[in-house]
mmCIF file with all atom_site columns, all heavy atoms in Angstrom:
data_model
loop_
_atom_site.group_PDB
_atom_site.id
_atom_site.type_symbol
_atom_site.label_atom_id
_atom_site.label_alt_id
_atom_site.label_comp_id
_atom_site.label_asym_id
_atom_site.label_entity_id
_atom_site.label_seq_id
_atom_site.pdbx_PDB_ins_code
_atom_site.Cartn_x
_atom_site.Cartn_y
_atom_site.Cartn_z
_atom_site.occupancy
_atom_site.B_iso_or_equiv
_atom_site.pdbx_formal_charge
_atom_site.auth_seq_id
_atom_site.auth_comp_id
_atom_site.auth_asym_id
_atom_site.auth_atom_id
_atom_site.pdbx_PDB_model_num
ATOM 1   N N   . ARG A 1 1  ? 49.760 166.876 242.524 1.00 79.00 ? 209 ARG A N   1
ATOM 2   C CA  . ARG A 1 1  ? 50.332 167.962 243.322 1.00 79.00 ? 209 ARG A CA  1
ATOM 3   C C   . ARG A 1 1  ? 50.043 167.791 244.815 1.00 79.00 ? 209 ARG A C   1
ATOM 4   O O   . ARG A 1 1  ? 50.809 168.287 245.650 1.00 79.00 ? 209 ARG A O   1
ATOM 5   C CB  . ARG A 1 1  ? 49.792 169.310 242.847 1.00 79.00 ? 209 ARG A CB  1
ATOM 6   C CG  . ARG A 1 1  ? 50.171 169.687 241.422 1.00 79.00 ? 209 ARG A CG  1
ATOM 7   C CD  . ARG A 1 1  ? 51.688 169.871 241.279 1.00 79.00 ? 209 ARG A CD  1
ATOM 8   N NE  . ARG A 1 1  ? 52.391 168.650 240.871 1.00 79.00 ? 209 ARG A NE  1
ATOM 9   C CZ  . ARG A 1 1  ? 53.681 168.577 240.646 1.00 79.00 ? 209 ARG A CZ  1
ATOM 10  N NH1 . ARG A 1 1  ? 54.438 169.658 240.797 1.00 79.00 ? 209 ARG A NH1 1
ATOM 11  N NH2 . ARG A 1 1  ? 54.231 167.442 240.290 1.00 79.00 ? 209 ARG A NH2 1
ATOM 12  N N   . LEU A 1 2  ? 48.970 167.092 245.159 1.00 83.00 ? 210 LEU A N   1
ATOM 13  C CA  . LEU A 1 2  ? 48.727 166.747 246.561 1.00 83.00 ? 210 LEU A CA  1
ATOM 14  C C   . LEU A 1 2  ? 49.881 165.886 247.067 1.00 83.00 ? 210 LEU A C   1
ATOM 15  O O   . LEU A 1 2  ? 50.402 166.097 248.173 1.00 83.00 ? 210 LEU A O   1
ATOM 16  C CB  . LEU A 1 2  ? 47.399 166.007 246.704 1.00 83.00 ? 210 LEU A CB  1
ATOM 17  C CG  . LEU A 1 2  ? 47.080 165.425 248.101 1.00 83.00 ? 210 LEU A CG  1
ATOM 18  C CD1 . LEU A 1 2  ? 47.026 166.530 249.150 1.00 83.00 ? 210 LEU A CD1 1
ATOM 19  C CD2 . LEU A 1 2  ? 45.770 164.647 248.065 1.00 83.00 ? 210 LEU A CD2 1
ATOM 20  N N   . GLY A 1 3  ? 50.283 164.911 246.253 1.00 84.00 ? 211 GLY A N   1
ATOM 21  C CA  . GLY A 1 3  ? 51.411 164.068 246.621 1.00 84.00 ? 211 GLY A CA  1
ATOM 22  C C   . GLY A 1 3  ? 52.689 164.879 246.772 1.00 84.00 ? 211 GLY A C   1
ATOM 23  O O   . GLY A 1 3  ? 53.464 164.667 247.709 1.00 84.00 ? 211 GLY A O   1
ATOM 24  N N   . LYS A 1 4  ? 52.904 165.830 245.873 1.00 83.00 ? 212 LYS A N   1
ATOM 25  C CA  . LYS A 1 4  ? 54.090 166.683 245.974 1.00 83.00 ? 212 LYS A CA  1
ATOM 26  C C   . LYS A 1 4  ? 54.050 167.512 247.248 1.00 83.00 ? 212 LYS A C   1
ATOM 27  O O   . LYS A 1 4  ? 55.063 167.697 247.928 1.00 83.00 ? 212 LYS A O   1
ATOM 28  C CB  . LYS A 1 4  ? 54.173 167.604 244.759 1.00 83.00 ? 212 LYS A CB  1
ATOM 29  C CG  . LYS A 1 4  ? 55.423 168.488 244.733 1.00 83.00 ? 212 LYS A CG  1
ATOM 30  C CD  . LYS A 1 4  ? 55.490 169.314 243.471 1.00 83.00 ? 212 LYS A CD  1
ATOM 31  C CE  . LYS A 1 4  ? 56.710 170.228 243.455 1.00 83.00 ? 212 LYS A CE  1
ATOM 32  N NZ  . LYS A 1 4  ? 57.970 169.492 243.458 1.00 83.00 ? 212 LYS A NZ  1
ATOM 33  N N   . GLY A 1 5  ? 52.857 168.015 247.591 1.00 81.00 ? 213 GLY A N   1
ATOM 34  C CA  . GLY A 1 5  ? 52.716 168.807 248.804 1.00 81.00 ? 213 GLY A CA  1
ATOM 35  C C   . GLY A 1 5  ? 53.026 168.013 250.063 1.00 81.00 ? 213 GLY A C   1
ATOM 36  O O   . GLY A 1 5  ? 53.660 168.526 250.993 1.00 81.00 ? 213 GLY A O   1
ATOM 37  N N   . LEU A 1 6  ? 52.613 166.769 250.098 1.00 84.00 ? 214 LEU A N   1
ATOM 38  C CA  . LEU A 1 6  ? 52.821 165.947 251.286 1.00 84.00 ? 214 LEU A CA  1
ATOM 39  C C   . LEU A 1 6  ? 54.278 165.524 251.464 1.00 84.00 ? 214 LEU A C   1
ATOM 40  O O   . LEU A 1 6  ? 54.723 165.279 252.591 1.00 84.00 ? 214 LEU A O   1
ATOM 41  C CB  . LEU A 1 6  ? 51.926 164.708 251.223 1.00 84.00 ? 214 LEU A CB  1
ATOM 42  C CG  . LEU A 1 6  ? 50.424 164.966 251.349 1.00 84.00 ? 214 LEU A CG  1
ATOM 43  C CD1 . LEU A 1 6  ? 49.653 163.664 251.181 1.00 84.00 ? 214 LEU A CD1 1
ATOM 44  C CD2 . LEU A 1 6  ? 50.091 165.602 252.697 1.00 84.00 ? 214 LEU A CD2 1
ATOM 45  N N   . ARG A 1 7  ? 55.034 165.451 250.374 1.00 86.00 ? 215 ARG A N   1
ATOM 46  C CA  . ARG A 1 7  ? 56.408 164.944 250.488 1.00 86.00 ? 215 ARG A CA  1
ATOM 47  C C   . ARG A 1 7  ? 57.468 166.037 250.532 1.00 86.00 ? 215 ARG A C   1
ATOM 48  O O   . ARG A 1 7  ? 58.560 165.818 251.065 1.00 86.00 ? 215 ARG A O   1
ATOM 49  C CB  . ARG A 1 7  ? 56.718 164.002 249.324 1.00 86.00 ? 215 ARG A CB  1
ATOM 50  C CG  . ARG A 1 7  ? 56.849 164.686 247.966 1.00 86.00 ? 215 ARG A CG  1
ATOM 51  C CD  . ARG A 1 7  ? 57.189 163.699 246.860 1.00 86.00 ? 215 ARG A CD  1
ATOM 52  N NE  . ARG A 1 7  ? 57.385 164.356 245.575 1.00 86.00 ? 215 ARG A NE  1
ATOM 53  C CZ  . ARG A 1 7  ? 56.499 164.398 244.602 1.00 86.00 ? 215 ARG A CZ  1
ATOM 54  N NH1 . ARG A 1 7  ? 55.314 163.821 244.768 1.00 86.00 ? 215 ARG A NH1 1
ATOM 55  N NH2 . ARG A 1 7  ? 56.766 165.012 243.458 1.00 86.00 ? 215 ARG A NH2 1
ATOM 56  N N   . SER A 1 8  ? 57.198 167.230 249.989 1.00 82.00 ? 216 SER A N   1
ATOM 57  C CA  . SER A 1 8  ? 58.257 168.212 249.759 1.00 82.00 ? 216 SER A CA  1
ATOM 58  C C   . SER A 1 8  ? 58.874 168.766 251.039 1.00 82.00 ? 216 SER A C   1
ATOM 59  O O   . SER A 1 8  ? 60.102 168.745 251.210 1.00 82.00 ? 216 SER A O   1
ATOM 60  C CB  . SER A 1 8  ? 57.729 169.368 248.898 1.00 82.00 ? 216 SER A CB  1
ATOM 61  O OG  . SER A 1 8  ? 57.439 168.918 247.603 1.00 82.00 ? 216 SER A OG  1
ATOM 62  N N   . SER A 1 9  ? 58.046 169.286 251.961 1.00 80.00 ? 217 SER A N   1
ATOM 63  C CA  . SER A 1 9  ? 58.605 169.866 253.189 1.00 80.00 ? 217 SER A CA  1
ATOM 64  C C   . SER A 1 9  ? 59.297 168.812 254.055 1.00 80.00 ? 217 SER A C   1
ATOM 65  O O   . SER A 1 9  ? 60.389 169.075 254.579 1.00 80.00 ? 217 SER A O   1
ATOM 66  C CB  . SER A 1 9  ? 57.504 170.586 253.973 1.00 80.00 ? 217 SER A CB  1
ATOM 67  O OG  . SER A 1 9  ? 57.058 171.723 253.249 1.00 80.00 ? 217 SER A OG  1
ATOM 68  N N   . PRO A 1 10 ? 58.704 167.602 254.242 1.00 85.00 ? 218 PRO A N   1
ATOM 69  C CA  . PRO A 1 10 ? 59.426 166.562 254.977 1.00 85.00 ? 218 PRO A CA  1
ATOM 70  C C   . PRO A 1 10 ? 60.762 166.199 254.319 1.00 85.00 ? 218 PRO A C   1
ATOM 71  O O   . PRO A 1 10 ? 61.755 165.995 255.019 1.00 85.00 ? 218 PRO A O   1
ATOM 72  C CB  . PRO A 1 10 ? 58.457 165.374 254.950 1.00 85.00 ? 218 PRO A CB  1
ATOM 73  C CG  . PRO A 1 10 ? 57.111 166.006 254.855 1.00 85.00 ? 218 PRO A CG  1
ATOM 74  C CD  . PRO A 1 10 ? 57.306 167.196 253.964 1.00 85.00 ? 218 PRO A CD  1
ATOM 75  N N   . ARG A 1 11 ? 60.795 166.133 253.000 1.00 86.00 ? 219 ARG A N   1
ATOM 76  C CA  . ARG A 1 11 ? 62.047 165.824 252.298 1.00 86.00 ? 219 ARG A CA  1
ATOM 77  C C   . ARG A 1 11 ? 63.081 166.925 252.505 1.00 86.00 ? 219 ARG A C   1
ATOM 78  O O   . ARG A 1 11 ? 64.248 166.657 252.781 1.00 86.00 ? 219 ARG A O   1
ATOM 79  C CB  . ARG A 1 11 ? 61.752 165.646 250.811 1.00 86.00 ? 219 ARG A CB  1
ATOM 80  C CG  . ARG A 1 11 ? 62.956 165.291 249.956 1.00 86.00 ? 219 ARG A CG  1
ATOM 81  C CD  . ARG A 1 11 ? 62.681 165.627 248.511 1.00 86.00 ? 219 ARG A CD  1
ATOM 82  N NE  . ARG A 1 11 ? 62.451 167.052 248.326 1.00 86.00 ? 219 ARG A NE  1
ATOM 83  C CZ  . ARG A 1 11 ? 61.669 167.562 247.366 1.00 86.00 ? 219 ARG A CZ  1
ATOM 84  N NH1 . ARG A 1 11 ? 61.036 166.764 246.513 1.00 86.00 ? 219 ARG A NH1 1
ATOM 85  N NH2 . ARG A 1 11 ? 61.519 168.874 247.260 1.00 86.00 ? 219 ARG A NH2 1
ATOM 86  N N   . ASP A 1 12 ? 62.651 168.183 252.385 1.00 82.00 ? 220 ASP A N   1
ATOM 87  C CA  . ASP A 1 12 ? 63.577 169.306 252.577 1.00 82.00 ? 220 ASP A CA  1
ATOM 88  C C   . ASP A 1 12 ? 64.091 169.358 254.008 1.00 82.00 ? 220 ASP A C   1
ATOM 89  O O   . ASP A 1 12 ? 65.265 169.671 254.252 1.00 82.00 ? 220 ASP A O   1
ATOM 90  C CB  . ASP A 1 12 ? 62.886 170.628 252.216 1.00 82.00 ? 220 ASP A CB  1
ATOM 91  C CG  . ASP A 1 12 ? 62.593 170.755 250.725 1.00 82.00 ? 220 ASP A CG  1
ATOM 92  O OD1 . ASP A 1 12 ? 63.247 170.043 249.935 1.00 82.00 ? 220 ASP A OD1 1
ATOM 93  O OD2 . ASP A 1 12 ? 61.721 171.555 250.358 1.00 82.00 ? 220 ASP A OD2 1
ATOM 94  N N   . ALA A 1 13 ? 63.203 169.068 254.974 1.00 82.00 ? 221 ALA A N   1
ATOM 95  C CA  . ALA A 1 13 ? 63.627 169.053 256.379 1.00 82.00 ? 221 ALA A CA  1
ATOM 96  C C   . ALA A 1 13 ? 64.615 167.917 256.633 1.00 82.00 ? 221 ALA A C   1
ATOM 97  O O   . ALA A 1 13 ? 65.597 168.088 257.372 1.00 82.00 ? 221 ALA A O   1
ATOM 98  C CB  . ALA A 1 13 ? 62.406 168.909 257.285 1.00 82.00 ? 221 ALA A CB  1
ATOM 99  N N   . LEU A 1 14 ? 64.386 166.766 256.016 1.00 86.00 ? 222 LEU A N   1
ATOM 100 C CA  . LEU A 1 14 ? 65.292 165.631 256.177 1.00 86.00 ? 222 LEU A CA  1
ATOM 101 C C   . LEU A 1 14 ? 66.679 165.964 255.615 1.00 86.00 ? 222 LEU A C   1
ATOM 102 O O   . LEU A 1 14 ? 67.710 165.610 256.212 1.00 86.00 ? 222 LEU A O   1
ATOM 103 C CB  . LEU A 1 14 ? 64.715 164.398 255.481 1.00 86.00 ? 222 LEU A CB  1
ATOM 104 C CG  . LEU A 1 14 ? 65.535 163.104 255.551 1.00 86.00 ? 222 LEU A CG  1
ATOM 105 C CD1 . LEU A 1 14 ? 65.828 162.715 256.998 1.00 86.00 ? 222 LEU A CD1 1
ATOM 106 C CD2 . LEU A 1 14 ? 64.801 161.970 254.828 1.00 86.00 ? 222 LEU A CD2 1
ATOM 107 N N   . LEU A 1 15 ? 66.725 166.656 254.480 1.00 85.00 ? 223 LEU A N   1
ATOM 108 C CA  . LEU A 1 15 ? 68.006 167.078 253.920 1.00 85.00 ? 223 LEU A CA  1
ATOM 109 C C   . LEU A 1 15 ? 68.727 168.039 254.864 1.00 85.00 ? 223 LEU A C   1
ATOM 110 O O   . LEU A 1 15 ? 69.938 167.923 255.080 1.00 85.00 ? 223 LEU A O   1
ATOM 111 C CB  . LEU A 1 15 ? 67.788 167.752 252.560 1.00 85.00 ? 223 LEU A CB  1
ATOM 112 C CG  . LEU A 1 15 ? 67.467 166.832 251.381 1.00 85.00 ? 223 LEU A CG  1
ATOM 113 C CD1 . LEU A 1 15 ? 67.060 167.660 250.156 1.00 85.00 ? 223 LEU A CD1 1
ATOM 114 C CD2 . LEU A 1 15 ? 68.662 165.948 251.030 1.00 85.00 ? 223 LEU A CD2 1
ATOM 115 N N   . ALA A 1 16 ? 67.978 168.986 255.444 1.00 81.00 ? 224 ALA A N   1
ATOM 116 C CA  . ALA A 1 16 ? 68.585 169.960 256.360 1.00 81.00 ? 224 ALA A CA  1
ATOM 117 C C   . ALA A 1 16 ? 69.155 169.279 257.591 1.00 81.00 ? 224 ALA A C   1
ATOM 118 O O   . ALA A 1 16 ? 70.212 169.677 258.109 1.00 81.00 ? 224 ALA A O   1
ATOM 119 C CB  . ALA A 1 16 ? 67.546 171.008 256.767 1.00 81.00 ? 224 ALA A CB  1
ATOM 120 N N   . GLU A 1 17 ? 68.485 168.237 258.075 1.00 81.00 ? 225 GLU A N   1
ATOM 121 C CA  . GLU A 1 17 ? 68.935 167.537 259.273 1.00 81.00 ? 225 GLU A CA  1
ATOM 122 C C   . GLU A 1 17 ? 70.093 166.591 258.994 1.00 81.00 ? 225 GLU A C   1
ATOM 123 O O   . GLU A 1 17 ? 70.763 166.130 259.919 1.00 81.00 ? 225 GLU A O   1
ATOM 124 C CB  . GLU A 1 17 ? 67.770 166.741 259.875 1.00 81.00 ? 225 GLU A CB  1
ATOM 125 C CG  . GLU A 1 17 ? 66.655 167.618 260.429 1.00 81.00 ? 225 GLU A CG  1
ATOM 126 C CD  . GLU A 1 17 ? 65.481 166.793 260.930 1.00 81.00 ? 225 GLU A CD  1
ATOM 127 O OE1 . GLU A 1 17 ? 65.484 165.561 260.706 1.00 81.00 ? 225 GLU A OE1 1
ATOM 128 O OE2 . GLU A 1 17 ? 64.576 167.365 261.544 1.00 81.00 ? 225 GLU A OE2 1
ATOM 129 N N   . SER A 1 18 ? 70.341 166.296 257.733 1.00 82.00 ? 226 SER A N   1
ATOM 130 C CA  . SER A 1 18 ? 71.345 165.296 257.373 1.00 82.00 ? 226 SER A CA  1
ATOM 131 C C   . SER A 1 18 ? 72.742 165.868 257.192 1.00 82.00 ? 226 SER A C   1
ATOM 132 O O   . SER A 1 18 ? 73.712 165.117 257.099 1.00 82.00 ? 226 SER A O   1
ATOM 133 C CB  . SER A 1 18 ? 70.927 164.569 256.084 1.00 82.00 ? 226 SER A CB  1
ATOM 134 O OG  . SER A 1 18 ? 69.673 163.921 256.251 1.00 82.00 ? 226 SER A OG  1
ATOM 135 N N   . VAL A 1 19 ? 72.867 167.209 257.119 1.00 81.00 ? 227 VAL A N   1
ATOM 136 C CA  . VAL A 1 19 ? 74.168 167.825 256.861 1.00 81.00 ? 227 VAL A CA  1
ATOM 137 C C   . VAL A 1 19 ? 74.387 169.017 257.785 1.00 81.00 ? 227 VAL A C   1
ATOM 138 O O   . VAL A 1 19 ? 73.426 169.595 258.303 1.00 81.00 ? 227 VAL A O   1
ATOM 139 C CB  . VAL A 1 19 ? 74.264 168.312 255.391 1.00 81.00 ? 227 VAL A CB  1
ATOM 140 C CG1 . VAL A 1 19 ? 74.177 167.139 254.430 1.00 81.00 ? 227 VAL A CG1 1
ATOM 141 C CG2 . VAL A 1 19 ? 73.188 169.338 255.082 1.00 81.00 ? 227 VAL A CG2 1
ATOM 142 N N   . PRO A 1 20 ? 75.645 169.425 257.999 1.00 81.00 ? 228 PRO A N   1
ATOM 143 C CA  . PRO A 1 20 ? 75.909 170.643 258.778 1.00 81.00 ? 228 PRO A CA  1
ATOM 144 C C   . PRO A 1 20 ? 75.517 171.885 257.991 1.00 81.00 ? 228 PRO A C   1
ATOM 145 O O   . PRO A 1 20 ? 75.366 171.846 256.764 1.00 81.00 ? 228 PRO A O   1
ATOM 146 C CB  . PRO A 1 20 ? 77.422 170.580 259.020 1.00 81.00 ? 228 PRO A CB  1
ATOM 147 C CG  . PRO A 1 20 ? 77.951 169.737 257.914 1.00 81.00 ? 228 PRO A CG  1
ATOM 148 C CD  . PRO A 1 20 ? 76.882 168.722 257.617 1.00 81.00 ? 228 PRO A CD  1
ATOM 149 N N   . ALA A 1 21 ? 75.374 173.014 258.691 1.00 76.00 ? 229 ALA A N   1
ATOM 150 C CA  . ALA A 1 21 ? 74.941 174.260 258.052 1.00 76.00 ? 229 ALA A CA  1
ATOM 151 C C   . ALA A 1 21 ? 75.877 174.690 256.926 1.00 76.00 ? 229 ALA A C   1
ATOM 152 O O   . ALA A 1 21 ? 75.445 175.272 255.930 1.00 76.00 ? 229 ALA A O   1
ATOM 153 C CB  . ALA A 1 21 ? 74.836 175.368 259.101 1.00 76.00 ? 229 ALA A CB  1
ATOM 154 N N   . SER A 1 22 ? 77.174 174.390 257.056 1.00 76.00 ? 230 SER A N   1
ATOM 155 C CA  . SER A 1 22 ? 78.144 174.809 256.051 1.00 76.00 ? 230 SER A CA  1
ATOM 156 C C   . SER A 1 22 ? 78.015 174.065 254.728 1.00 76.00 ? 230 SER A C   1
ATOM 157 O O   . SER A 1 22 ? 78.628 174.451 253.728 1.00 76.00 ? 230 SER A O   1
ATOM 158 C CB  . SER A 1 22 ? 79.566 174.616 256.586 1.00 76.00 ? 230 SER A CB  1
ATOM 159 O OG  . SER A 1 22 ? 79.798 173.246 256.910 1.00 76.00 ? 230 SER A OG  1
ATOM 160 N N   . HIS A 1 23 ? 77.216 172.991 254.703 1.00 81.00 ? 231 HIS A N   1
ATOM 161 C CA  . HIS A 1 23 ? 77.036 172.200 253.480 1.00 81.00 ? 231 HIS A CA  1
ATOM 162 C C   . HIS A 1 23 ? 75.616 172.279 252.943 1.00 81.00 ? 231 HIS A C   1
ATOM 163 O O   . HIS A 1 23 ? 75.247 171.493 252.060 1.00 81.00 ? 231 HIS A O   1
ATOM 164 C CB  . HIS A 1 23 ? 77.391 170.729 253.749 1.00 81.00 ? 231 HIS A CB  1
ATOM 165 C CG  . HIS A 1 23 ? 78.844 170.492 253.991 1.00 81.00 ? 231 HIS A CG  1
ATOM 166 N ND1 . HIS A 1 23 ? 79.331 169.318 254.508 1.00 81.00 ? 231 HIS A ND1 1
ATOM 167 C CD2 . HIS A 1 23 ? 79.924 171.286 253.784 1.00 81.00 ? 231 HIS A CD2 1
ATOM 168 C CE1 . HIS A 1 23 ? 80.652 169.399 254.618 1.00 81.00 ? 231 HIS A CE1 1
ATOM 169 N NE2 . HIS A 1 23 ? 81.029 170.594 254.184 1.00 81.00 ? 231 HIS A NE2 1
ATOM 170 N N   . ARG A 1 24 ? 74.821 173.216 253.427 1.00 77.00 ? 232 ARG A N   1
ATOM 171 C CA  . ARG A 1 24 ? 73.428 173.279 252.982 1.00 77.00 ? 232 ARG A CA  1
ATOM 172 C C   . ARG A 1 24 ? 73.300 173.671 251.512 1.00 77.00 ? 232 ARG A C   1
ATOM 173 O O   . ARG A 1 24 ? 72.488 173.107 250.775 1.00 77.00 ? 232 ARG A O   1
ATOM 174 C CB  . ARG A 1 24 ? 72.661 174.269 253.856 1.00 77.00 ? 232 ARG A CB  1
ATOM 175 C CG  . ARG A 1 24 ? 72.322 173.727 255.232 1.00 77.00 ? 232 ARG A CG  1
ATOM 176 C CD  . ARG A 1 24 ? 71.754 174.804 256.121 1.00 77.00 ? 232 ARG A CD  1
ATOM 177 N NE  . ARG A 1 24 ? 71.412 174.276 257.443 1.00 77.00 ? 232 ARG A NE  1
ATOM 178 C CZ  . ARG A 1 24 ? 71.234 175.034 258.522 1.00 77.00 ? 232 ARG A CZ  1
ATOM 179 N NH1 . ARG A 1 24 ? 71.365 176.363 258.424 1.00 77.00 ? 232 ARG A NH1 1
ATOM 180 N NH2 . ARG A 1 24 ? 70.935 174.491 259.677 1.00 77.00 ? 232 ARG A NH2 1
ATOM 181 N N   . GLY A 1 25 ? 74.078 174.647 251.092 1.00 77.00 ? 233 GLY A N   1
ATOM 182 C CA  . GLY A 1 25 ? 73.985 175.090 249.707 1.00 77.00 ? 233 GLY A CA  1
ATOM 183 C C   . GLY A 1 25 ? 74.285 173.973 248.727 1.00 77.00 ? 233 GLY A C   1
ATOM 184 O O   . GLY A 1 25 ? 73.514 173.713 247.801 1.00 77.00 ? 233 GLY A O   1
ATOM 185 N N   . ILE A 1 26 ? 75.399 173.276 248.937 1.00 80.00 ? 234 ILE A N   1
ATOM 186 C CA  . ILE A 1 26 ? 75.780 172.207 248.015 1.00 80.00 ? 234 ILE A CA  1
ATOM 187 C C   . ILE A 1 26 ? 74.814 171.025 248.111 1.00 80.00 ? 234 ILE A C   1
ATOM 188 O O   . ILE A 1 26 ? 74.544 170.338 247.118 1.00 80.00 ? 234 ILE A O   1
ATOM 189 C CB  . ILE A 1 26 ? 77.240 171.751 248.276 1.00 80.00 ? 234 ILE A CB  1
ATOM 190 C CG1 . ILE A 1 26 ? 77.747 170.915 247.102 1.00 80.00 ? 234 ILE A CG1 1
ATOM 191 C CG2 . ILE A 1 26 ? 77.376 170.994 249.598 1.00 80.00 ? 234 ILE A CG2 1
ATOM 192 C CD1 . ILE A 1 26 ? 79.223 170.622 247.159 1.00 80.00 ? 234 ILE A CD1 1
ATOM 193 N N   . THR A 1 27 ? 74.242 170.792 249.306 1.00 84.00 ? 235 THR A N   1
ATOM 194 C CA  . THR A 1 27 ? 73.282 169.695 249.470 1.00 84.00 ? 235 THR A CA  1
ATOM 195 C C   . THR A 1 27 ? 72.014 169.946 248.671 1.00 84.00 ? 235 THR A C   1
ATOM 196 O O   . THR A 1 27 ? 71.560 169.085 247.903 1.00 84.00 ? 235 THR A O   1
ATOM 197 C CB  . THR A 1 27 ? 72.928 169.509 250.957 1.00 84.00 ? 235 THR A CB  1
ATOM 198 O OG1 . THR A 1 27 ? 74.102 169.079 251.659 1.00 84.00 ? 235 THR A OG1 1
ATOM 199 C CG2 . THR A 1 27 ? 71.836 168.470 251.139 1.00 84.00 ? 235 THR A CG2 1
ATOM 200 N N   . TYR A 1 28 ? 71.437 171.137 248.837 1.00 81.00 ? 236 TYR A N   1
ATOM 201 C CA  . TYR A 1 28 ? 70.212 171.440 248.083 1.00 81.00 ? 236 TYR A CA  1
ATOM 202 C C   . TYR A 1 28 ? 70.517 171.606 246.599 1.00 81.00 ? 236 TYR A C   1
ATOM 203 O O   . TYR A 1 28 ? 69.673 171.280 245.744 1.00 81.00 ? 236 TYR A O   1
ATOM 204 C CB  . TYR A 1 28 ? 69.544 172.696 248.649 1.00 81.00 ? 236 TYR A CB  1
ATOM 205 C CG  . TYR A 1 28 ? 68.876 172.445 249.979 1.00 81.00 ? 236 TYR A CG  1
ATOM 206 C CD1 . TYR A 1 28 ? 69.414 172.946 251.158 1.00 81.00 ? 236 TYR A CD1 1
ATOM 207 C CD2 . TYR A 1 28 ? 67.718 171.694 250.066 1.00 81.00 ? 236 TYR A CD2 1
ATOM 208 C CE1 . TYR A 1 28 ? 68.825 172.702 252.390 1.00 81.00 ? 236 TYR A CE1 1
ATOM 209 C CE2 . TYR A 1 28 ? 67.104 171.446 251.279 1.00 81.00 ? 236 TYR A CE2 1
ATOM 210 C CZ  . TYR A 1 28 ? 67.661 171.948 252.441 1.00 81.00 ? 236 TYR A CZ  1
ATOM 211 O OH  . TYR A 1 28 ? 67.068 171.692 253.651 1.00 81.00 ? 236 TYR A OH  1
ATOM 212 N N   . GLY A 1 29 ? 71.706 172.100 246.277 1.00 78.00 ? 237 GLY A N   1
ATOM 213 C CA  . GLY A 1 29 ? 72.082 172.195 244.875 1.00 78.00 ? 237 GLY A CA  1
ATOM 214 C C   . GLY A 1 29 ? 72.204 170.835 244.222 1.00 78.00 ? 237 GLY A C   1
ATOM 215 O O   . GLY A 1 29 ? 71.754 170.624 243.095 1.00 78.00 ? 237 GLY A O   1
ATOM 216 N N   . LEU A 1 30 ? 72.832 169.867 244.939 1.00 82.00 ? 238 LEU A N   1
ATOM 217 C CA  . LEU A 1 30 ? 72.949 168.505 244.413 1.00 82.00 ? 238 LEU A CA  1
ATOM 218 C C   . LEU A 1 30 ? 71.570 167.888 244.213 1.00 82.00 ? 238 LEU A C   1
ATOM 219 O O   . LEU A 1 30 ? 71.307 167.254 243.175 1.00 82.00 ? 238 LEU A O   1
ATOM 220 C CB  . LEU A 1 30 ? 73.764 167.637 245.375 1.00 82.00 ? 238 LEU A CB  1
ATOM 221 C CG  . LEU A 1 30 ? 73.827 166.149 245.032 1.00 82.00 ? 238 LEU A CG  1
ATOM 222 C CD1 . LEU A 1 30 ? 74.580 165.924 243.728 1.00 82.00 ? 238 LEU A CD1 1
ATOM 223 C CD2 . LEU A 1 30 ? 74.480 165.357 246.169 1.00 82.00 ? 238 LEU A CD2 1
#
């Protein structure tokens, strides 16, 4: 879970930065 903690927020932030706001729902859903 330490490993999960270190990777989760950076991964979620990277996803948010990779798509426009109008595609956030489908991006996180995928």
Side-chain angles (χ1 to χ4, degrees):
R209 296 296 92 178
L210 173 60
K212 183 177 178 63
L214 292 176
R215 70 179 183 259
S216 293
S217 293
R219 181 201 62 209
D220 292 339
L222 180 56
L223 285 171
E225 293 176 352
S226 300
V227 296
S230 60
H231 291 167
R232 284 171 179 161
I234 195 170
T235 295
Y236 287 108
L238 173 66

